[in-house]
Amino acid sequence: EAESWEPNDCTVCVCRNGTSECLATVCRHPDCKEPLYIKGQCCPVCPLVDSGTSGHNEAGNETSLLINI
């Protein structure tokens, strides 16, 4: 069975047959002036605001990248 670990909030690694493969998340910058970094979450998000303003919570702001180490 493959062993897996998370070296940080943005990377998940797995060891298969003696080879480490890591999947790193690459974040897009959210479309707001002051994005929030939430502990345990990789990508920053825009703060939630009242519906009467132009701010919004950024969804889908991450992409994964496979890294062999």
Side-chain angles (χ1 to χ4, degrees):
E1 188 169 312
E3 179 183 348
S4 64
W5 67 98
E6 296 181 22
N8 58 55
D9 290 337
C10 296
T11 308
V12 176
C13 297
V14 64
C15 181
R16 291 190 182 116
N17 299 323
T19 302
S20 295
E21 294 180 0
C22 295
L23 188 62
T25 302
V26 179
C27 302
R28 284 184 258 155
H29 189 74
D31 188 24
C32 58
K33 290 182 181 179
E34 297 180 20
L36 299 175
Y37 288 86
I38 300 170
K39 186 176 182 177
Q41 184 174 324
C42 178
C43 298
V45 295
C46 292
L48 293 175
V49 294
D50 293 285
S51 59
T53 63
S54 61
H56 62 280
N57 187 1
E58 191 71 25
N61 64 336
E62 61 185 53
T63 303
S64 295
L65 177 66
L66 181 63
I67 302 170
N68 288 321
I69 54 173

